[in-house]
Amino acid sequence: MKLKRPLSNQDRVKAQRKLSKAEKGTREWKKRRKVVARIHERIAWKRQNFIHQYSRKIVNCFGIIAVEDIYVNRMLHNHCLAKSISNAAWSGFFRLLAMKAEWAARKFVTVNPAYTSQNCSSCGHRQKMPLSKRVFKCPCCGLVLDRDVNAALNILGLGRQALGINP
């Protein structure tokens, strides 16, 4: 099974199924094992290539890069998110981003993730928000933003504060 076209999930499943049906130790099993290994190698290469390209884009576009100092291993204990987090390769992405930022003489800082999505980016008011609520509405100053945009503004503000840059 030579693969010249882009991989689909069906290709991976079909190759894995053929491998599992082959008798272990035979020539056919060894041949199919190489096909499955090549498929997984290509998937890993695509994932690595993506994080290299995207981290380079971010480093080229911004002078200050601030990210949350999240514990990816702890987040993998959540069975609902574990597969998605592992597929996205967050740890590798943050590591590459930090390395490329240092190499390009950009400022890279990690900030404490506590309350970044609960604090108002305008006035600092903190309010409890369940994850299902996607819009941040501040009762004090009337700011209405997407929850993730508000968190990003808070992370950037904390990053600037850590670097000693006034907002």
Side-chain angles (χ1 to χ4, degrees):
M1 187 169 139
K2 287 244 179 180
L3 296 169
K4 299 264 184 199
R5 58 183 169 69
L7 282 173
S8 70
N9 196 34
Q10 289 176 334
D11 293 333
R12 186 186 58 80
V13 170
K14 191 184 287 186
Q16 191 70 49
R17 194 176 297 131
K18 281 183 178 181
L19 173 65
S20 68
K21 287 182 180 179
E23 191 176 329
K24 206 168 189 177
T26 62
R27 283 178 51 196
E28 191 64 27
W29 179 81
K30 289 177 184 175
K31 191 170 112 178
R32 290 178 179 177
R33 195 173 126 234
K34 284 182 183 178
V35 171
V36 171
R38 175 76 174 130
I39 289 171
H40 285 287
E41 183 182 48
R42 286 181 66 184
I43 291 169
W45 182 84
K46 284 180 181 182
R47 184 173 292 137
Q48 198 64 23
N49 186 44
F50 175 79
I51 64 172
H52 267 289
Q53 289 180 1
Y54 208 74
S55 60
R56 173 53 56 199
K57 267 186 199 175
I58 291 172
V59 168
N60 287 345
C61 289
F62 303 105
I64 299 172
I65 301 165
V67 296
E68 286 181 320
D69 188 18
I70 54 176
Y71 296 101
V72 176
N73 284 341
R74 287 185 190 167
M75 294 177 79
L76 291 176
H77 293 294
N78 181 342
H79 71 279
C80 296
L81 300 173
K83 187 175 180 181
S84 298
I85 292 170
S86 295
N87 281 342
W90 285 2
S91 297
F93 179 71
F94 292 143
R95 189 184 68 250
L96 269 177
L97 192 61
M99 181 188 69
K100 289 183 181 190
E102 183 182 334
W103 185 77
R106 303 288 198 267
K107 293 180 179 171
F108 180 84
V109 64
T110 57
V111 299
N112 186 357
Y115 307 112
T116 53
S117 62
Q118 296 176 9
N119 290 346
C120 177
S121 58
S122 179
C123 69
H125 174 74
R126 182 177 297 163
Q127 63 182 6
K128 291 262 186 200
M129 286 184 63
L131 284 174
S132 60
K133 193 175 175 186
R134 302 309 305 163
V135 177
F136 183 86
K137 295 177 184 172
C138 182
C140 294
C141 66
L143 180 73
V144 178
L145 279 177
D146 181 73
R147 177 193 184 109
D148 297 330
V149 173
N150 182 59
L153 291 171
N154 283 331
I155 293 166
L156 180 60
L158 289 170
R160 285 180 169 171
Q161 187 179 18
L163 292 170
I165 301 169
N166 290 333

